[in-house]
Amino acid sequence: MPKPKNAMDIFQHLDQSNCRECGEKTCLAFAGAVFLGKKKLEDCPKLDAGVIEKLQTDSEDEKTVEDNRVEHLSRLKAEAASLDLAEAAERTGGRFDGRKLTLKILGKDFSVGVDGNLYADIHVNPWVAVPFLNYVIHGEGISPSGNWVSFRELKNGKERYPLFQKRCEESMKRIADGYTSFFDDMVHIFGGKETEKHFEADISVVLHPLPRVPLMICYQRPEDGMESVLTLYFDETADKNLDIGSIFTLGAGLTQMFEKLSQRHGVFETAAAG
Ligand code: SF4
């Protein structure tokens, strides 16, 4: 059994009954949580012990997801340390002060130094750090065209879209349904900008998780017995500036941040239960 490359590799070994005994709403959500290191395979009581052992053994000599993530981040930092940061700043829409390249992430400063170390106004966690470094190292620096496309229309987005839809769009929709100040908070806390309505949405807000990778959240309220709809759109140039894995990570990270925020407001549980 090869090492899981993505959540779908884990999903295919699950019972797929969506019984929720693991605490997740679906087997697909559980697979995503295991892949991101938030759940353990053992949390699914229906998974055969032999399959668990095989999956873990084949995961690079039993390294944990966290070990792999830390290693991956160290490699990216080393790569960043060998870059010409002045050139990278120009290419990525950032600024360079001789010591650090700084970008605005959701309106806050986030920097990488000439030594490869990261500095930030916000908590440095992997969902920001990995896409940030991939953007700085590999981004082509293409300016957004203003044409919005869904995740599945981006290069290599189609096969990951079912998981992206579950993990990001459906979770964010549940938050938006119950958290009335959701869009106001995005505008005020995260430097978002409400924009003209797109794709028949009632509300469209544009955020900049990276300077040249804008993201638009479109929300259509529930109406006449129809459920609400929330879709994330990216500029059609997003896959030139960032790999699809990092785009997924940004979406999942943002969703997680909004979930925490809404829980702090004490409204998410009410919405989820309703
Ligand atoms: S406990 Fe296992 S079978 Fe049930 S929902 Fe979770 S992953 Fe799926």
Side-chain angles (χ1 to χ4, degrees):
M1 204 179 292
K3 178 192 167 216
K5 287 193 231 41
N6 54 45
M8 291 311 278
D9 282 355
I10 299 168
F11 177 67
Q12 67 189 10
H13 296 289
L14 299 176
D15 179 77
Q16 301 182 14
S17 60
N18 299 330
C19 71
R20 300 186 174 201
E21 283 181 47
C22 57
E24 294 291 337
K25 289 192 175 158
T26 62
C27 295
L28 193 57
F30 176 75
V34 172
F35 188 67
L36 294 173
K38 290 194 234 143
K39 287 261 176 191
K40 295 201 177 85
L41 289 164
E42 295 85 337
D43 294 335
C44 169
K46 300 195 172 174
L47 200 49
D48 186 79
V51 175
I52 295 178
E53 199 184 339
K54 197 83 181 85
L55 276 168
Q56 286 173 339
T57 307
D58 289 340
S59 290
E60 282 192 3
D61 304 321
E62 301 190 8
K63 273 186 202 151
T64 64
V65 172
E66 187 53 28
D67 288 339
N68 289 331
R69 195 181 276 157
V70 169
E71 256 183 45
H72 181 50
L73 196 54
S74 305
R75 274 199 302 273
L76 288 174
K77 285 181 180 176
E79 249 186 283
S82 66
L83 281 183
D84 174 350
L85 290 186
E87 178 281 325
E90 210 165 302
R91 174 169 46 80
T92 56
R95 59 180 198 278
F96 180 61
D97 64 5
R99 291 181 305 116
K100 289 183 297 186
L101 179 167
T102 302
L103 300 179
K104 286 275 181 212
I105 293 192
L106 299 172
K108 309 275 189 303
D109 281 353
F110 203 98
S111 312
V112 56
V114 288
D115 53 3
N117 282 325
L118 299 175
Y119 308 86
D121 282 355
I122 49 180
H123 176 59
V124 178
N125 61 26
W127 81 260
V128 180
V130 170
F132 167 83
L133 286 169
N134 274 327
Y135 174 77
V136 169
I137 297 165
H138 303 293
E140 291 183 26
I142 312 267
S143 296
S145 68
N147 292 326
W148 297 99
V149 297
S150 77
F151 182 87
R152 67 174 164 264
E153 292 170 86
L154 295 172
K155 189 175 170 205
N156 300 327
K158 203 168 165 191
E159 66 168 24
R160 290 173 186 239
Y161 183 66
L163 192 59
F164 181 83
Q165 189 182 28
K166 282 247 172 278
R167 181 66 200 98
C168 305
E169 292 179 332
E170 287 181 13
S171 301
M172 235 187 242
K173 177 178 94 78
R174 280 200 299 277
I175 301 169
D177 285 344
Y179 174 17
T180 45
S181 57
F182 179 54
F183 290 98
D184 286 344
D185 282 353
M186 281 200 290
V187 170
H188 295 122
I189 305 176
F190 303 113
K193 195 160 180 264
E194 194 158 350
T195 172
E196 60 186 85
K197 316 286 183 265
H198 280 78
F199 307 106
E200 297 179 14
D202 296 310
I203 305 174
S204 300
V205 171
V206 174
L207 296 171
H208 280 84
L210 288 164
R212 291 186 175 143
V213 186
L215 175 157
M216 181 166 67
I217 302 173
C218 289
Y219 179 67
Q220 216 171 323
R221 293 193 184 88
E223 199 181 21
D224 298 335
M226 302 280 286
E227 266 200 44
S228 60
V229 180
L230 187 145
T231 313
L232 299 185
Y233 291 95
F234 296 87
D235 192 88
E236 63 180 356
T237 58
D239 51 15
K240 304 271 190 306
N241 293 324
L242 201 59
D243 62 284
I244 199 74
S246 291
I247 295 174
F248 183 99
T249 305
L250 276 183
L254 265 180
T255 306
Q256 200 182 45
M257 199 170 66
F258 292 144
E259 278 170 353
K260 281 194 186 142
L261 196 67
S262 60
Q263 277 161 0
R264 220 177 293 147
H265 283 240
V267 294
F268 182 54
E269 288 91 337
T270 317

